[in-house]
Amino acid sequence: MKFLRFTMYIVKYLFIIFLSGFIISCGSNSGKKKDDFLIKTNTEKGNITNNETLSLSIINKKKHVIDSVVYKINNQTITNNTHLLDFKLGKQTLEATIYFEGDVQTTTTAITILNNVAPKIYKYKIINEYPHDITSYTQGLEFYNGYLYESTGQYKESKLRKLNYKTGEVLKNVDLANDYFGEGLTILNNKVFQLTWKKNIGFVYDVDTLEKMSSFKYGNSKEGWGLCNHNNIIYKSDGSEKIWLLNPETLVEEDYIQVCTNKGLITQINEMEWIEGKIYANRYQKNGVAIINPKNGGVIGVVDFTPLKEQVTQHAKLDVLNGIAYNPQTKTIFVTGKRWDKLFEVEILE
């Protein structure tokens, strides 16, 4: 009897040991990602300018015999000592796939590609001044066939308008529903595209009648801020450093650039306008405009319009510069601000 009890005790003890081992082997450790390798770069704290060459190597922590390594930046295969001039700026994912001893591991690290030159400083000269509705919280501004189209913000005040820019006369007006905060606009293929802020929805109108034709949802972009277009591509800002490239038919966000200087990323990109091959963009709560290379996101120039704010009627609700439009008929730039009573026609000077 004692022998039987002892035998049962041994069996129970071995079962507990076996079960504990099974739980350990099937627990969190089994899914632990291997990290035998790390990527070593010549970046400085993860930053590198686009006129430099990216040098790469692998830190082999466990001294494996490596057969080969494949490097990629955002899924684009690169080699060691790749020159970065043709790459987009901003935060990028650098990936290395290491083949070794019949096995394979992938490791990643983040790098930020900066512009290699500082932005140029531009000045401006006022050519003309025109009346502007002092109650309009301007969000988007664009010329089309000689008329000025404007989108304004604030809940219960948002609207879309077609204007005679010389007189300020409102030719057509559409009020948005009270729960929409109007944002940027652009005009393409006889359609007006207008964003709203936090509702994740934009509207499409007929350019002549301003009758609403359809609506569209945003994709990965956070919010609706600014719009412009060129060459059948719509560019959309969302308040971050990203400018999204939208298909004009499906309005799907197919790609993006990141706005960047030689010092770092530039966020809060707002109202935008395509002018002679560049994107001119307001920054929220700033009285300046950034001139952006649309190919890589580099800021190549800045214009400080701060003095303009002092040349409009001063009142309690007066707000910052916002609204930039290029008139192809006059080949000049127009700027205004939120609740400004003037629209300025200006010439940009280096």
Side-chain angles (χ1 to χ4, degrees):
M1 180 65 74
K2 289 182 180 180
F3 176 79
L4 181 59
R5 282 202 215 93
F6 178 78
T7 302
M8 292 177 64
Y9 174 82
I10 292 296
V11 171
K12 182 178 180 182
Y13 178 77
L14 291 174
F15 176 77
I16 291 173
I17 292 176
F18 171 80
L19 183 61
S20 300
F22 180 78
I23 291 172
I24 291 172
S25 67
C26 293
S28 59
N29 289 341
S30 66
K32 185 178 180 182
K33 183 180 178 181
K34 294 181 179 180
D35 55 355
D36 297 351
F37 306 98
L38 295 174
I39 304 173
K40 183 179 180 181
T41 72
N42 62 326
T43 61
E44 183 177 348
K45 295 182 179 179
N47 296 329
I48 187 169
T49 55
N50 65 338
N51 65 336
E52 294 184 79
T53 296
L54 181 63
S55 297
L56 303 168
S57 60
I58 294 297
I59 299 174
N60 186 354
K61 295 191 290 185
K62 295 188 177 181
K63 309 300 181 183
H64 292 296
V65 178
I66 296 177
D67 300 318
S68 63
V69 181
V70 176
Y71 296 105
K72 292 182 179 181
I73 292 181
N74 288 343
N75 295 319
Q76 178 181 344
T77 301
I78 63 170
T79 60
N80 185 20
N81 297 320
T82 292
H83 201 275
L84 298 173
L85 192 59
D86 294 329
F87 284 79
K88 294 178 183 178
L89 304 179
K91 295 179 182 178
Q92 313 292 342
T93 299
L94 174 60
E95 176 185 280
T97 302
I98 303 99
Y99 298 88
F100 66 101
E101 300 170 358
D103 202 352
V104 59
Q105 281 188 33
T106 298
T107 184
T108 62
T109 190
I111 63 171
T112 300
I113 304 176
L114 303 176
N115 209 17
N116 64 312
V117 293
K120 293 181 179 179
I121 306 300
Y122 292 86
K123 297 181 180 180
Y124 65 91
K125 179 175 71 175
I126 298 174
I127 300 173
N128 284 304
E129 298 178 7
Y130 302 101
H132 180 254
D133 184 355
I134 199 171
T135 68
S136 289
Y137 192 82
T138 305
Q139 299 287 75
L141 210 60
E142 190 160 306
F143 277 94
Y144 186 78
N145 287 343
Y147 296 104
L148 184 63
Y149 290 75
E150 182 177 26
S151 174
T152 73
Q154 294 296 337
Y155 294 110
K156 299 182 180 181
E157 298 179 21
S158 296
K159 51 190 172 285
L160 171 64
R161 284 179 164 179
K162 179 179 180 180
L163 306 167
N164 179 330
Y165 76 92
K166 292 183 178 180
T167 65
E169 179 187 1
V170 178
L171 304 175
K172 291 187 182 298
N173 180 87
V174 174
D175 293 325
L176 274 65
N178 288 341
D179 56 341
Y180 289 117
F181 192 116
E183 287 283 349
L185 67 78
T186 197
I187 301 167
L188 179 64
N189 299 329
N190 296 315
K191 300 174 184 176
V192 181
F193 299 85
Q194 181 188 34
L195 300 176
T196 66
W197 184 22
K198 291 187 174 182
K199 292 291 188 179
N200 194 41
I201 191 170
F203 300 116
V204 183
Y205 306 84
D206 179 272
V207 71
D208 295 316
T209 64
L210 295 192
E211 291 184 8
K212 190 183 295 183
M213 301 170 62
S214 61
S215 63
F216 61 96
K217 294 285 188 179
Y218 307 156
N220 293 317
S221 58
K222 296 178 181 178
E223 297 174 350
W225 283 48
L227 288 176
C228 68
N229 77 84
H230 176 71
N231 199 23
N232 217 35
I233 297 174
I234 294 176
Y235 296 83
K236 176 184 182 293
S237 65
D238 65 357
S240 70
E241 72 282 358
K242 292 180 180 178
I243 296 177
W244 298 84
L245 280 63
L246 277 61
N247 182 304
E249 300 300 326
T250 65
L251 297 170
V252 170
E253 296 158 357
E254 297 181 335
D255 200 358
Y256 65 84
I257 57 174
Q258 299 175 68
V259 182
C260 200
T261 68
N262 59 317
K263 298 295 185 181
L265 295 168
I266 302 299
T267 60
Q268 295 185 308
I269 302 302
N270 199 6
E271 148 78 339
M272 301 185 296
E273 182 79 357
W274 185 280
I275 303 176
E276 297 179 345
K278 306 294 186 293
I279 295 175
Y280 283 57
N282 291 122
R283 288 187 66 204
Y284 181 60
Q285 292 298 324
K286 304 293 182 182
N287 286 305
V289 166
I291 304 173
I292 301 165
N293 180 344
K295 293 182 179 179
N296 65 4
V299 179
I300 59 178
V302 292
V303 190
D304 184 8
F305 286 110
T306 300
L308 286 183
K309 190 176 179 182
E310 303 301 320
Q311 298 187 43
V312 301
T313 298
Q314 305 296 298
H315 60 100
K317 291 187 176 183
L318 182 68
D319 211 326
V320 295
L321 177 96
N322 199 60
I324 179 166
Y326 178 74
N327 188 343
Q329 294 182 352
T330 61
K331 298 188 184 303
T332 51
I333 295 171
F334 291 71
V335 294
T336 189
K338 300 174 185 292
R339 299 196 173 103
W340 289 18
D341 64 348
K342 290 181 182 180
L343 172 72
F344 296 93
E345 183 179 7
V346 299
E347 179 184 353
I348 305 298
L349 308 170
E350 185 172 343

